[in-house]
Amino acid sequence: MKRKNINTIIKETINKFVSNLIKEDIEYKLQDVDELYNYMWLKPDVTNIDADIFVDDGEAYIRDRHVPLLFVRNGKGREIIEFIPISISQTPKILDNNLAVAIGENTINQVFDFIKANTMVLMDMANGKLNAEEFISVIKIPTYVREEKHLINEMATLRKAESNLPMDIWVDEGGTYQGHAPRIKFRASREQRNTREFSSMLLTNPPTIENYPQRPDLRARDLELLKSFVVMNMDLLLKLANGEIDYRTQFLPNIKKIE
């Protein structure tokens, strides 16, 4: 029996989830940095590639109706808020043809090699089959960029099991709030299909809610629990949003959970 190649498996995976909603090789441009709330941040410490990479950690490609992709920061420093979308495939492509790539051809080629070496792992992560620890433990680093690998990463999505909240929340990993007040995001209604549409809770005292739907699916008690969580963890959330602490080693072990 003829063995299927990786690209065929990916196409079948996409069809399983979204049927004809996604067209292959379609161009894609990041519309709003809030989309990165759907992605896990891989720093150079993890990949040994000289660029920040953001990988789908929970079906963002389905919610936003585009091909599976990852984003690469188009420059160095958190003040850079331009990102390069690259398809997850054995033949990866830059999907925004109008973007002037500033990080250099060598870095882009390293990202391409990283994608090709980890295509199925990236898809498993995107489809929610792996958590952050599992993903980090199995990714392959192309040999020409391999050095000592430190398991340092930041995750976009704080799961219910990690906070004891009745909902997942999306936390700022360091500077994506530029142009806004520091905030977390949460899905208050099933009609909110992606993080651009999600409700926000500003990290103010008391917390302030923005973009709350008229017909929420959350109970009033759920919202009060979220407010309590934010108040209890305000200092940690602000430090995380400002890039002062690491998600995995400093934020997650120290959060105060809802009891």
Side-chain angles (χ1 to χ4, degrees):
M1 183 172 63
K2 187 176 180 181
R3 181 176 294 177
K4 297 177 182 178
N5 63 35
I6 293 177
N7 283 340
T8 298
I9 295 172
I10 291 175
K11 291 175 187 176
E12 291 178 353
T13 302
I14 295 171
N15 288 335
K16 175 183 176 182
F17 282 100
V18 291
S19 185
N20 295 321
L21 293 177
I22 293 175
K23 296 181 180 179
E24 267 197 281
D25 299 329
I26 192 169
E27 288 190 26
Y28 190 79
K29 180 178 178 65
L30 184 69
Q31 302 297 319
D32 190 317
V33 292
D34 278 5
E35 289 185 39
L36 295 183
Y37 275 75
N38 290 302
Y39 290 75
M40 182 174 76
W41 182 4
L42 298 183
K43 294 181 179 180
D45 307 74
V46 174
T47 63
N48 291 317
I49 297 171
D50 193 23
D52 289 331
I53 297 173
F54 298 78
V55 300
D56 188 342
D57 72 348
E59 299 183 356
Y61 76 97
I62 296 172
R63 288 192 295 274
D64 291 337
R65 299 186 179 187
H66 55 64
V67 296
L69 56 80
L70 56 73
F71 291 103
V72 182
R73 194 189 302 273
N74 195 21
K76 296 182 180 180
R78 291 194 180 100
E79 71 278 5
I80 304 296
I81 55 173
E82 183 176 64
F83 299 88
I84 307 165
I86 300 177
S87 60
I88 296 174
S89 167
Q90 285 295 286
T91 54
K93 299 177 182 178
I94 295 175
L95 299 175
D96 185 352
N97 293 328
N98 296 316
L99 186 66
V101 177
I103 59 174
E105 184 177 355
N106 183 59
T107 301
I108 287 293
N109 286 334
Q110 289 184 357
V111 174
F112 284 175
D113 286 343
F114 176 79
I115 292 172
K116 287 186 282 188
N118 295 285
T119 305
M120 292 307 299
V121 177
L122 288 164
M123 288 302 301
D124 282 346
M125 187 65 170
N127 289 325
K129 295 180 180 179
L130 299 172
N131 61 32
E133 294 286 350
E134 293 166 337
F135 175 74
I136 293 296
S137 70
V138 297
I139 57 173
K140 299 175 183 177
I141 307 301
T143 55
Y144 66 87
V145 294
R146 185 182 299 278
E147 298 171 4
E148 182 181 0
K149 184 172 69 173
H150 303 284
L151 301 185
I152 299 174
N153 67 285
E154 299 189 37
M155 187 169 61
T157 309
L158 184 64
R159 307 291 183 187
K160 292 184 285 188
E162 295 165 322
S163 66
N164 288 342
L165 285 167
M167 78 289 281
D168 293 339
I169 65 173
W170 283 258
V171 296
D172 194 333
E173 308 171 73
T176 61
Y177 72 85
Q178 293 182 23
H180 305 273
R183 66 211 194 282
I184 59 101
K185 288 206 162 199
F186 61 101
R187 190 179 186 186
S189 167
R190 286 187 291 271
E191 294 181 358
Q192 295 174 321
R193 295 179 177 82
N194 55 58
T195 48
R196 294 193 303 277
E197 299 176 355
F198 287 176
S199 299
S200 298
M201 185 171 287
L202 304 188
L203 302 183
T204 55
N205 193 9
T208 305
I209 298 174
E210 293 185 341
N211 194 36
Y212 200 67
Q214 291 185 342
R215 297 181 179 179
D217 293 318
L218 294 181
R219 300 174 300 175
R221 171 175 165 75
D222 296 337
L223 199 58
E224 289 304 313
L225 289 173
L226 180 56
K227 287 181 180 179
S228 296
F229 178 85
V230 167
V231 170
M232 289 190 303
N233 294 282
M234 183 70 72
D235 185 56
L236 283 173
L237 288 165
L238 286 170
K239 286 182 177 178
L240 183 69
N242 289 320
E244 297 173 12
I245 59 174
D246 176 75
Y247 179 90
R248 179 175 172 272
T249 61
Q250 295 170 292
F251 175 76
L252 196 55
N254 292 301
I255 60 173
K256 296 174 183 177
K257 298 183 178 183
I258 294 295
E259 296 181 357

